[in-house]
């Protein structure tokens, strides 16, 4: 991991900087915690955990600090299901001990996201002790939060130190192990869509960063069969891959290297869960299932030829007011937030469509080549899903065909990012692809 730290000069024109001091992954590395506390000359750490992560690693951390005669304060969330929202962040701030000069987060997604915000606002250094290889936010400089009912990525900061003790990580619940690999599987789509977005809109792209993701994903796939057996190599490959995903996002300055339309499927389901109490699963599980569907949709894309008249007629017939009504009904307050965003982003400006369509048509062979190079076949991806035991049927997480259709349509409204649903809208085939869900 050391090769990914510090500043990296790149031919893309950027100087990539992950803003992380240390990443330590291996068996028993949690014992190095006092070393990092001393490095920052901290006198009193503040431990942030929930009741599950405190049991998984917090007690060990507390004992290590006591054995090293390091005083500390701690706050342990007691909720059975901790949500990354305004209430949780506020609770962390209200319980923060201002005499503490360093923060130690103990957990994975939610705790890490809250810890990064607390660190950013308080100005304290931040160490995260991972308890599950379940998501790619360990090294991200943003926090995935629910704000006003909408899933958002808030700017926070990277952890200064990431500790991944394999002896702890491999004891994570099986669903969290699956979720970690599921989040990595999404990278097939993220890299393809980053390249396609760069081709169509001219957005920034870095091949060196993309290659970091490809290599990390390859190692995960090579070790996939050992993951549910809790083999050290498999758990380490997934955790390293997830950290590299965060590093890649930091390098690029955008989420492109690690998330595409498949993440937006998951975000939509989370929004509906918050608004209507519908069923949700772990983010990585949802991402894997959404990636399966996205692979199928890209397979269908390969069978079409851009039709100018069809595309222009579809765009001309598109009624944004009607679509806004559907968004409000489908997502409630989140839909209202998306509609407010569109007033600034102008994604549906019909005057910009002809030039964009022409770029697509002129480069269709290149787009198909990108899909072939980056995205596995339906058969290949299905085999991976079977190996890790994640269902390919969205109904198992409460998503029927109509919900699937509206989810795919709503993915183009979450961010101003060019993803498959935006491409389908430009091609005039959005409804055709929805019929496959």
């Amino acid at each position: 991991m050391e090769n990914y730290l510090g500043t990296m000069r790149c031919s893309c024109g950027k100087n990539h900087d992950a803003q992380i001091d240390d990443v330590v992954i291996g068996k028993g590395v949690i014992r190095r915690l006092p070393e990092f506390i001393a490095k920052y000359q901290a006198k009193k750490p503040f431990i942030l955990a929930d009741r599950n992560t405190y049991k998984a690693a917090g007690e060990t951390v507390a004992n290590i600090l006591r054995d090293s005669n390091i005083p500390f304060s701690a706050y342990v969330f007691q909720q059975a299901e901790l949500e990354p929202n305004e209430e949780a962040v506020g609770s962390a701030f209200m319980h923060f001990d201002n005499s503490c000069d360093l923060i130690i987060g103990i957990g994975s997604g939610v705790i890490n996201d809250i810890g990064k915000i607390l660190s950013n606002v308080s100005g304290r250094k931040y160490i995260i002790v991972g308890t599950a290889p379940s998501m790619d936010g360990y090294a991200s400089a943003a926090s995935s939060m629910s704000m006003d009912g909408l899933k958002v990525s808030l700017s926070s900061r990277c952890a200064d130190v990431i500790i991944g003790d394999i002896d702890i990580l491999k004891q994570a619940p099986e669903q969290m192990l699956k979720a970690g690999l599921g989040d990595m599987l999404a990278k097939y789509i993220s890299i393809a869509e980053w390249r396609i977005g760069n081709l169509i809109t001219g957005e920034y792209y870095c091949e060196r960063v993309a290659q970091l993701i490809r290599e990390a994903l390859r190692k995960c796939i090579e070790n996939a069969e050992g993951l549910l057996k809790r083999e050290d190599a498999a758990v380490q490959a997934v955790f390293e891959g997830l950290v590299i995903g965060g590093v890649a996002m930091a390098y690029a300055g955008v989420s492109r290297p690690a998330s595409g339309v498949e993440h937006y499927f998951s975000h939509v389901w989370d929004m509906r869960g918050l608004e209507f109490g519908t069923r949700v699963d772990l983010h990585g599980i949802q991402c894997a299932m959404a990636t399966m569907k996205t692979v199928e949709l890209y397979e269908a894309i390969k069978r079409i030829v851009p039709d100018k008249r069809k595309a222009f007629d579809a765009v001309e017939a598109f009624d944004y007011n009607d679509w806004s009504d559907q968004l409000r009904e489908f997502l409630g307050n989140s839909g209202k937030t998306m509609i407010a965003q569109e007033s600034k982003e102008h994604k549906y400006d019909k005057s910009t469509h002809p030039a964009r369509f022409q770029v697509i048509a002129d480069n269709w062979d290149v787009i198909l080549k990108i899909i072939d190079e980056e995205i596995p076949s339906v058969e290949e991806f299905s085999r991976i899903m079977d190996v890790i035991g994640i269902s390919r049927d969205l109904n198992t997480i409460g998503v029927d065909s109509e919900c699937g259709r509206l989810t795919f349509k709503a993915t183009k409204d979450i961010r101003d990012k060019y993803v498959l649903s935006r491409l389908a809208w430009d091609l005039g085939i959005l409804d055709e692809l929805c019929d496959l869900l």
Side-chain angles (χ1 to χ4, degrees):
M1 286 299 304
E2 287 77 11
N3 293 335
Y4 306 126
L5 304 183
T7 301
M8 181 177 75
R9 297 187 181 278
C10 186
S11 59
C12 76
K14 281 194 174 187
N15 289 332
H16 300 306
D17 189 353
Q19 300 176 346
I20 303 170
D21 293 335
D22 289 285
V23 177
V24 288
I25 305 173
K27 295 173 71 65
V29 294
I30 195 171
R31 292 287 165 187
R32 294 183 59 187
L33 186 55
E35 168 191 334
F36 296 111
I37 294 173
K39 175 180 177 178
Y40 295 122
Q41 300 180 327
K43 304 301 181 185
K44 184 182 179 183
F46 178 79
I47 294 174
L48 185 70
D50 64 34
R51 66 186 192 185
N52 295 318
T53 63
Y54 192 79
K55 183 178 179 180
E59 292 175 351
T60 300
V61 168
N63 288 332
I64 289 171
L65 297 183
R66 290 189 190 102
D67 291 345
S68 302
N69 295 315
I70 300 172
F72 63 90
S73 290
Y75 177 58
V76 180
F77 290 97
Q78 294 302 314
Q79 295 94 323
E81 295 290 336
L82 181 61
E83 291 291 338
N85 56 21
E86 299 96 331
E87 180 181 354
V89 171
S91 184
F93 272 99
M94 290 179 71
H95 289 89
F96 179 65
D97 182 346
N98 278 310
S99 69
C100 293
D101 50 7
L102 180 142
I103 297 167
I104 302 174
I106 300 172
S108 55
V110 178
I111 288 294
N112 187 47
D113 284 331
I114 296 170
K116 287 187 289 187
I117 293 173
L118 184 61
S119 168
N120 189 42
V121 176
S122 69
R124 270 65 165 187
K125 293 286 188 178
Y126 178 54
I127 297 173
I128 178 66
V129 177
T131 55
S134 56
M135 54 87 222
D136 62 6
Y138 283 111
S140 169
S143 292
S144 181
M145 305 296 292
S146 297
M147 186 173 71
D148 297 329
L150 181 68
K151 292 292 288 188
V152 298
S153 183
L154 295 180
S155 178
S156 52
R157 68 186 301 273
C158 286
D160 297 285
V161 178
I162 300 169
I163 297 177
D165 192 314
I166 301 304
D167 292 328
I168 293 171
L169 295 170
K170 71 180 182 181
Q171 299 304 319
E174 185 175 278
Q175 281 295 95
M176 298 190 84
L177 297 176
K178 292 181 180 182
L181 185 52
D183 206 333
M184 285 302 299
L185 294 177
K187 283 35 172 179
Y188 283 122
I189 306 301
S190 64
I191 297 302
E193 292 189 332
W194 196 16
R195 291 179 64 186
I196 292 169
N198 166 256
L199 181 68
I200 295 172
T201 70
E203 68 173 273
Y204 165 77
Y205 171 78
C206 177
E207 176 60 24
R208 191 172 181 181
V209 172
Q211 189 56 33
L212 289 178
I213 294 290
R214 293 190 194 102
E215 181 61 19
L217 178 55
R218 181 189 63 78
K219 290 180 180 177
C220 288
I221 299 303
E222 287 178 351
N223 288 280
E225 291 189 2
L227 185 63
L228 300 189
K229 300 173 186 176
R230 302 179 186 273
E231 294 177 0
D232 291 353
V235 173
Q236 182 157 340
V238 172
F239 189 78
E240 284 185 353
L242 294 167
V243 172
I244 289 170
V247 169
M249 288 188 279
Y251 277 178
V254 291
S255 63
R256 271 297 199 185
S259 73
V261 73
E262 76 301 318
H263 269 62
Y264 290 174
F265 273 86
S266 181
H267 290 340
V268 168
W269 297 332
D270 287 344
M271 291 173 194
R272 283 180 54 78
L274 287 168
E275 184 78 18
F276 305 116
T278 53
R279 181 180 172 185
V280 294
D281 210 320
L282 293 175
H283 172 68
I285 299 292
Q286 293 182 164
C287 282
M289 298 181 76
T291 300
M292 180 76 252
K293 291 302 175 184
T294 306
V295 169
E296 294 172 357
L297 295 178
Y298 271 110
E299 195 90 349
I301 282 280
K302 290 161 60 176
R303 296 192 292 268
I304 72 111
V305 175
D307 183 325
K308 183 176 181 179
R309 179 46 49 202
K310 182 178 185 178
F312 281 37
D313 286 349
V315 168
E316 185 58 35
F318 177 75
D319 186 332
Y320 184 69
N321 289 329
D322 178 62
W323 172 234
S324 296
D325 291 340
Q326 292 183 61
L327 268 180
R328 277 188 286 265
E329 182 178 355
F330 184 54
L331 292 174
N333 288 323
S334 300
K336 295 176 184 177
T337 304
M338 291 179 186
I339 293 165
Q341 287 177 177
E342 174 57 19
S343 65
K344 301 175 184 177
E345 295 171 350
H346 308 294
K347 297 184 295 294
Y348 296 107
D349 183 348
K350 295 181 180 181
S351 69
T352 64
H353 173 254
R356 202 163 53 244
F357 177 85
Q358 194 60 51
V359 173
I360 295 168
D362 290 345
N363 292 277
W364 191 243
D365 288 345
V366 181
I367 292 171
L368 296 181
K369 186 171 184 287
I370 290 171
I371 295 170
D372 281 335
E373 289 176 348
E374 303 292 354
I375 301 176
S377 68
V378 171
E379 293 75 18
E380 288 177 276
F381 198 82
S382 294
R383 283 194 293 271
I384 298 170
M385 295 283 279
D386 290 342
V387 164
I388 57 176
I390 297 180
S391 174
R392 288 170 268 163
D393 182 2
L394 294 182
N395 283 287
T396 61
I397 57 170
V399 178
D400 60 21
S401 58
E402 182 60 19
C403 181
R405 287 173 57 89
L406 288 169
T407 296
F408 182 53
K409 286 187 175 183
T411 59
K412 59 186 171 24
D413 293 81
I414 294 180
R415 306 269 193 282
D416 187 10
K417 185 158 76 174
Y418 203 84
V419 295
L420 176 58
S421 48
R422 296 275 295 277
L423 176 63
W425 189 84
D426 279 342
L427 288 167
I429 61 167
L430 185 61
D431 286 331
E432 290 177 35
L433 291 191
C434 284
D435 289 340
L436 301 177
L437 293 163

